[in-house]
């Protein structure tokens, strides 16, 4: 039995492996663009509120897509593959936050759920909010002015949690880059990570069939959100 030459073995173990499917990567970078756009347009006043809401409705479609993809998507996208118990998270932290295989780490998974939750609160409250001028979310007409004002207050307050979550998110990525020499951003762009770092038993599913099903799913969700955004206000009386 002949052992593989060390150089070859190293090259093989560092071969890139697909860890993030294209739909997850597109979801992520679209979310980054739209959340940033929503934050900027929120500061620009009434002239930009229509665009603020359009961006928000698109974020709603992205979040619903991510929820469904978390059940039917490829391995690393599935909630069942990355949601960890508090005990596992504690063990990972005690172990110095080192190797954790492909996909989100146990602690990262908790952060991901938190970001998705905070964004959902923002979108849901926006749907019921009004700006005391001429604009309101599509569902504001279905509740009293006082309730709509309450949601507007929640919307304003929750924005601070979004800023905090983004700062933590970027801090965590910088920590892995500089303190753990682990580049997380590259795989979120290309989809691939060196097998030596992220060693899934097999690459995640990312063929054209998977991508097409994601596209069809997103198109269906986008249609539903479009109808929601154009919902007629309740009839008076
Ligand atoms: C993640 C997505 C969103 C972010 C980050 C966001 C952020 C913000 C922020 C920071 C403000 C406060 C502006 C200020 O008073 O200085 C605001 C206002 C507003 N947003 Fe959003 N928003 C989002 C989604 C939505 C959605 C989906 C809608 C409705 C369809 C919406 C409707 C409104 C309205 C009506 C206001 C004015 C009322 C208020 O000040 O609360 N937003 N948004
Ligand atoms: C508005 C700002 C951002 C938001 C709302 C956001 C949100 C998210 C979410 C929800 C995930 C989980 C992906 C999933 O499984 O669905 C994620 C992961 C990730 N994000 Fe962001 N992100 C933001 C900005 C950024 C930026 C600017 C970078 C790069 C510098 C980045 C790099 C990453 C990476 C590398 C991961 C994967 C982490 C891992 O390997 O576990 N994000 N982000």
């Amino acid at each position: 039995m002949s052992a593989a030459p060390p150089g070859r073995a190293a090259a093989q173990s560092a071969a890139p492996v697909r860890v993030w499917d294209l739909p997850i990567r597109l979801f992520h970078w679209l979310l980054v663009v739209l959340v940033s756009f929503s934050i900027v347009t929120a500061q620009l006043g009434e002239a930009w509120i229509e665009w603020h809401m359009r961006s928000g409705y698109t974020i709603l479609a992205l979040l619903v897509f991510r929820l469904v993809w978390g059940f039917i998507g490829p391995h690393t996208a599935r909630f069942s593959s990355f949601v960890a118990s508090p005990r596992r998270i504690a063990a990972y932290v005690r172990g110095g936050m080192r190797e954790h295989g492909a996909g989100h780490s146990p602690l990262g998974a908790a952060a991901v759920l938190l970001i998705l939750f905070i964004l959902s609160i923002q979108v849901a409250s926006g749907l019921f909010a009004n700006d005391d001028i001429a604009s309101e979310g599509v569902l504001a007409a279905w509740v009293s002015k006082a309730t709509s004002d309450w949601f507007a207050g929640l919307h304003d307050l929750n924005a601070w949690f979004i800023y905090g979550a983004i700062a933590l998110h970027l801090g965590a990525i910088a920590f892995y880059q500089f303190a753990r020499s682990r580049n997380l951003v590259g795989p979120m762009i290309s989809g691939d990570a060196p097998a030596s770092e992220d060693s899934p038993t097999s690459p995640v599913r990312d063929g054209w069939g998977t991508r097409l099903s994601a596209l069809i799913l997103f198109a269906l969700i986008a249609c539903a959100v479009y109808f929601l955004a154009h919902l007629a206000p309740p009839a008076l009386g």
Side-chain angles (χ1 to χ4, degrees):
M1 214 168 67
S2 66
R8 186 158 163 222
Q12 271 175 356
S13 69
V17 173
R18 183 54 45 97
V19 293
W20 298 116
D21 56 275
L22 182 65
I24 278 288
R25 285 176 278 147
L26 284 178
F27 159 79
H28 180 264
W29 296 113
L30 272 173
L31 192 68
V32 172
V33 170
L34 291 173
V35 169
S36 309
F37 183 77
S38 294
I39 291 172
V40 171
T41 49
Q43 313 308 320
L44 298 179
E46 186 61 19
W48 282 87
I49 193 81
E50 279 297 322
W51 283 102
H52 178 79
M53 293 199 280
R54 281 182 194 135
S55 170
Y57 290 125
T58 317
I59 294 172
L60 170 62
L62 283 175
L63 290 175
V64 176
F65 167 81
R66 182 63 186 95
L67 183 70
V68 179
W69 206 238
F71 291 99
I72 66 169
H75 181 67
T76 50
R78 289 202 184 204
F79 298 123
S80 60
S81 82
F82 65 75
V83 174
S85 63
R87 186 189 293 253
R88 245 188 85 205
I89 297 175
Y92 173 70
V93 173
R94 272 199 306 272
M97 296 187 275
R98 291 175 196 280
E99 286 304 298
H100 60 74
H104 298 304
S105 73
L107 187 61
V112 167
L113 293 184
L114 185 72
I115 296 179
L116 294 176
F117 176 72
I118 294 176
L119 288 177
S120 305
I121 298 280
Q122 192 68 4
V123 168
S125 58
L127 294 177
F128 290 96
N130 74 89
D131 69 352
D132 271 332
I133 308 174
S135 304
E136 56 183 28
V138 68
L139 299 180
W142 296 79
V143 297
S144 68
K145 174 77 169 67
T147 308
S148 173
D149 286 347
W150 185 84
F151 276 111
L154 176 62
H155 197 71
D156 289 352
L157 176 71
N158 192 58
W160 291 99
F161 288 95
I162 294 186
Y163 307 148
I166 293 175
L168 262 177
H169 185 53
L170 299 183
I173 288 161
F175 168 83
Y176 278 101
Q177 182 72 54
F178 300 113
R180 293 290 172 267
S181 304
R182 185 169 171 154
N183 174 2
L184 298 180
V185 181
M188 215 4 128
I189 296 171
S190 70
D192 294 341
S196 51
E197 275 178 24
D198 285 303
S199 33
T201 40
S202 56
V204 298
R205 184 160 53 82
D206 191 22
W208 288 105
T210 302
R211 294 170 179 184
L212 185 66
S213 28
L215 188 65
I216 294 170
L217 174 65
F218 185 74
L220 290 174
I221 294 169
C223 286
V225 170
Y226 182 86
F227 281 113
L228 170 73
H230 292 85
L231 194 70
L236 292 174

